[in-house]
Amino acid sequence: MAHVISSDCVACGSCISECPVEAIAEGDIYVIDAETCIDCGACVDCCPADAISAQ
Ligand code: SF4
Protein backbone atom coordinates (compact mmCIF):
# COMPACT_ATOMS: atom_id res chain seq x y z
CA MET A 1 0.00 0.00 0.00
CA ALA A 2 1.04 3.60 -0.50
CA HIS A 3 -0.24 7.09 -0.02
CA VAL A 4 -1.35 8.98 -3.12
CA ILE A 5 -1.60 12.62 -4.19
CA SER A 6 -4.84 13.64 -5.90
CA SER A 7 -5.52 16.20 -8.62
CA ASP A 8 -6.21 18.69 -5.82
CA CYS A 9 -2.40 19.11 -5.55
CA VAL A 10 -1.31 22.72 -6.09
CA ALA A 11 2.39 21.77 -6.44
CA CYS A 12 3.39 23.91 -3.45
CA GLY A 13 6.23 21.58 -2.46
CA SER A 14 5.31 21.39 1.23
CA CYS A 15 5.32 17.58 1.30
CA ILE A 16 8.74 16.95 -0.23
CA SER A 17 10.76 17.57 2.91
CA GLU A 18 8.33 15.61 5.10
CA CYS A 19 8.93 12.25 3.44
CA PRO A 20 11.63 10.18 5.23
CA VAL A 21 12.24 7.97 2.20
CA GLU A 22 12.16 10.65 -0.54
CA ALA A 23 9.23 8.99 -2.29
CA ILE A 24 7.68 12.26 -3.50
CA ALA A 25 8.61 13.67 -6.91
CA GLU A 26 7.96 17.20 -8.16
CA GLY A 27 5.75 17.90 -11.17
CA ASP A 28 2.68 19.81 -12.33
CA ILE A 29 1.03 17.55 -9.79
CA TYR A 30 3.37 15.89 -7.30
CA VAL A 31 3.61 12.10 -7.37
CA ILE A 32 4.34 9.50 -4.69
CA ASP A 33 6.33 6.48 -5.84
CA ALA A 34 4.25 3.56 -4.58
CA GLU A 35 7.29 1.27 -4.59
CA THR A 36 9.22 3.57 -2.26
CA CYS A 37 6.44 4.82 0.03
CA ILE A 38 6.41 3.09 3.42
CA ASP A 39 2.90 4.38 4.22
CA CYS A 40 4.04 6.36 7.26
CA GLY A 41 1.57 9.21 6.73
CA ALA A 42 4.08 11.97 7.51
CA CYS A 43 3.12 13.91 4.38
CA VAL A 44 -0.64 14.01 4.95
CA ASP A 45 -1.03 16.84 7.46
CA CYS A 46 1.40 19.25 5.77
CA CYS A 47 -0.67 19.47 2.57
CA PRO A 48 -2.62 22.77 2.39
CA ALA A 49 -4.87 21.36 -0.35
CA ASP A 50 -5.65 18.17 1.60
CA ALA A 51 -4.58 16.26 -1.51
CA ILE A 52 -2.69 13.37 0.12
CA SER A 53 -4.50 10.27 1.33
CA ALA A 54 -4.00 6.60 2.08
CA GLN A 55 -5.17 4.05 -0.46
FE1 SF4 B 1 6.68 9.48 2.17
FE2 SF4 B 1 5.39 8.57 4.33
FE3 SF4 B 1 4.11 10.14 2.56
FE4 SF4 B 1 4.78 7.65 1.89
S1 SF4 B 1 3.29 8.24 3.49
S2 SF4 B 1 5.06 9.47 0.62
S3 SF4 B 1 6.73 7.37 2.99
S4 SF4 B 1 5.87 10.74 3.87
Side-chain angles (χ1 to χ4, degrees):
M1 301 299 287
H3 277 58
V4 295
I5 299 175
S6 77
S7 59
D8 291 336
C9 173
V10 294
C12 70
S14 298
C15 56
I16 292 270
S17 61
E18 299 297 322
C19 183
V21 294
E22 299 184 5
I24 304 174
E26 295 179 47
D28 291 338
I29 291 176
Y30 282 37
V31 178
I32 294 173
D33 178 359
E35 301 271 310
T36 305
C37 176
I38 56 172
D39 233 13
C40 70
C43 52
V44 174
D45 288 341
C46 75
C47 180
D50 203 20
I52 307 177
S53 60
Q55 283 295 287

